[in-house]
Amino acid sequence: MTGPPVCTRTRLLEQTGVMFTPGAAFDIEHTVHIGVADDTQALRTGLKLVGQFLDQLTQE
């Protein structure tokens, strides 16, 4: 399975509570799977948290 290093995925989950599944788990390389349970607000909040996490990574 390809994707970001496990340590980055673990940090994302620990720091934001958000988890992405590598697309390779679904035979779709170079993508991520975002699970949504019909809650648009949860999706918006999660994506905002991911954006903040990525901003933080670029400053390291």
Side-chain angles (χ1 to χ4, degrees), residues 10-18 49 53 56-57 60:
T10 300
R11 281 180 58 193
L12 174 66
L13 178 60
E14 289 174 351
Q15 293 179 14
T16 67
V18 175
L49 291 168
F53 177 81
Q56 178 186 12
L57 280 182
E60 291 182 358

Side-chain angles (χ1 to χ4, degrees), residues 6-56:
V6 173
C7 60
T8 302
R9 286 184 262 166
T10 300
R11 281 180 58 193
L12 174 66
L13 178 60
E14 289 174 351
Q15 293 179 14
T16 67
V18 175
M19 182 177 74
F20 285 161
T21 303
F26 302 95
D27 293 324
I28 307 170
E29 295 290 333
H30 311 293
T31 64
V32 295
H33 178 80
I34 303 172
V36 182
D38 294 327
D39 186 352
T40 303
Q41 188 56 44
L43 176 62
R44 287 184 179 146
T45 300
L47 291 175
K48 181 178 178 179
L49 291 168
V50 169
Q52 292 169 351
F53 177 81
L54 294 174
D55 287 344
Q56 178 186 12

